[in-house]
Amino acid sequence: MLSYQHIYHAGNLADVHKHASLSVLFELLTKKDKPLSYIETHSGRGVYDLSSVESEKTKEAQFGIKQIKLPENHIYTKLISRIHEEIGENIYPGSPFIAEALLRPTDTLHLMELHPTEYKYLYQYMRYPNTHLHHRDGFEGGLGICPPNPARGMIFIDPSYEVKTEYKTVGDFAIKLHKKWNVGIICIWYPILKENYHFELVETLKTMNNFYKSEVYFSKPATALLGSGLAIINTPFGADEELNKIKKWNF
């Protein structure tokens, strides 16, 4: 949706869950020398200033990345610490920035964002040689790009879910995408709300290959968001063990 800007929510507990999980997946995928493709359908601006007016308005990061105790030696923890040291304490990396930091020069990134303001920032922050920016609808663009070259790789789907029909849209998109790119890893984030809109989406995704689900519920929800969910199709070997460890963090 063109009204959504993630800066209001950056660094919340859902971000910690999904970005820590993505960091694990990037670490596993880069163990092989073979290059890969990484695609995002809803990239946002890539980098967030948690001291901004927008972030301060909601203060979601105060109950998220600024409060949670991260395991000392986790790849996500190391990345956050490095960013704080090199850029600033109030800078929070979105998934595009994490991908660029943890993937290699031989890997290819495709980042899609339709919102004009978000795309402007994305263009400002993410102009790297191996990164291709697309000012287009992520669902349309994802189907257009796939199967990518190289065919080995992952797509991350993280829309706003501002309207409940988007859960069905994501499920339908994943089915079409899986048919076009049956070797691709499909990673989908979804919010957990009291209405449980995600139930139907998860049931749809469970029908596909090597399905894995990670859900965490927040002990003290600061908003209507009760928890965070991540579903993966074609889950990489060994990923479930590492991702299950994140579910035990003190959310």
Side-chain angles (χ1 to χ4, degrees):
M1 299 294 290
L2 288 182
S3 61
Y4 182 83
Q5 295 183 67
H6 192 64
I7 183 62
Y8 290 96
H9 313 286
N12 64 11
L13 286 175
D15 268 2
V16 173
H17 173 233
K18 65 186 172 186
H19 292 153
S21 300
L22 279 175
S23 298
V24 165
L25 292 172
F26 292 142
E27 185 176 39
L28 288 172
L29 287 172
T30 53
K31 285 184 176 180
K32 291 185 178 180
D33 290 337
K34 295 181 179 179
L36 60 86
S37 296
Y38 174 68
I39 303 165
E40 282 206 23
T41 58
H42 300 76
S43 297
R45 62 184 63 182
V47 182
Y48 300 92
D49 181 357
L50 300 184
S51 65
S52 68
V53 173
E54 297 93 339
S55 183
E56 286 291 339
K57 183 176 181 179
T58 60
K59 296 188 180 299
E60 289 191 31
Q62 300 294 333
F63 302 97
I65 190 62
K66 293 192 175 184
Q67 175 178 277
I68 189 169
K69 183 174 176 57
L70 301 175
E72 187 174 340
N73 292 317
H74 197 273
I75 186 171
Y76 175 69
T77 308
K78 291 178 181 178
L79 178 61
I80 293 294
S81 297
R82 180 180 152 199
I83 288 168
H84 287 173
E85 289 174 7
E86 295 181 3
I87 307 176
E89 285 286 336
N90 285 310
I91 300 303
Y92 183 77
S95 46
F97 192 95
I98 293 172
E100 186 62 52
L102 298 180
L103 294 178
R104 305 155 300 186
T106 54
D107 301 323
T108 302
L109 283 69
H110 291 278
L111 306 177
M112 283 168 277
E113 177 56 53
L114 188 59
H115 194 292
T117 301
E118 298 299 278
Y119 182 79
K120 180 187 73 173
Y121 283 110
L122 186 69
Y123 184 81
Q124 177 182 341
Y125 297 145
M126 300 299 301
R127 293 176 65 184
Y128 294 91
N130 61 334
T131 300
H132 303 276
L133 305 180
H134 305 263
H135 189 193
R136 67 195 295 190
D137 175 77
F139 296 122
E140 174 269 328
L143 289 175
I145 290 171
C146 292
N149 183 25
R152 176 177 180 260
M154 178 170 71
I155 185 168
F156 181 48
I157 305 162
D158 178 24
S160 66
Y161 296 99
E162 284 191 308
V163 291
K164 62 182 180 180
T165 55
E166 203 152 24
Y167 295 87
K168 185 178 187 308
T169 300
V170 170
D172 292 344
F173 172 70
I175 291 173
K176 292 177 183 177
L177 189 69
H178 188 51
K179 289 178 180 177
K180 286 197 70 176
W181 187 28
N182 61 358
V183 299
I185 299 164
I186 302 173
C187 185
I188 298 169
W189 178 82
Y190 54 89
I192 297 176
L193 307 171
K194 67 177 182 179
E195 294 85 358
N196 292 320
Y197 294 134
H198 66 285
F199 279 6
E200 185 177 352
L201 170 60
V202 171
E203 287 302 308
T204 298
L205 300 175
K206 282 167 64 175
T207 64
M208 288 181 270
N209 297 343
N210 296 326
F211 172 81
Y212 169 83
K213 180 182 71 173
S214 170
E215 291 184 351
V216 298
Y217 287 81
F218 308 144
S219 58
K220 296 179 180 179
T223 66
L225 189 64
L226 303 181
S228 170
L230 203 71
I232 306 174
I233 312 302
N234 288 332
T235 309
F237 178 78
D240 52 350
E241 181 179 351
E242 293 302 316
L243 294 173
N244 285 340
K245 293 177 183 178
I246 296 172
K247 292 195 289 186
K248 297 177 182 179
W249 293 5
N250 187 25
F251 288 98

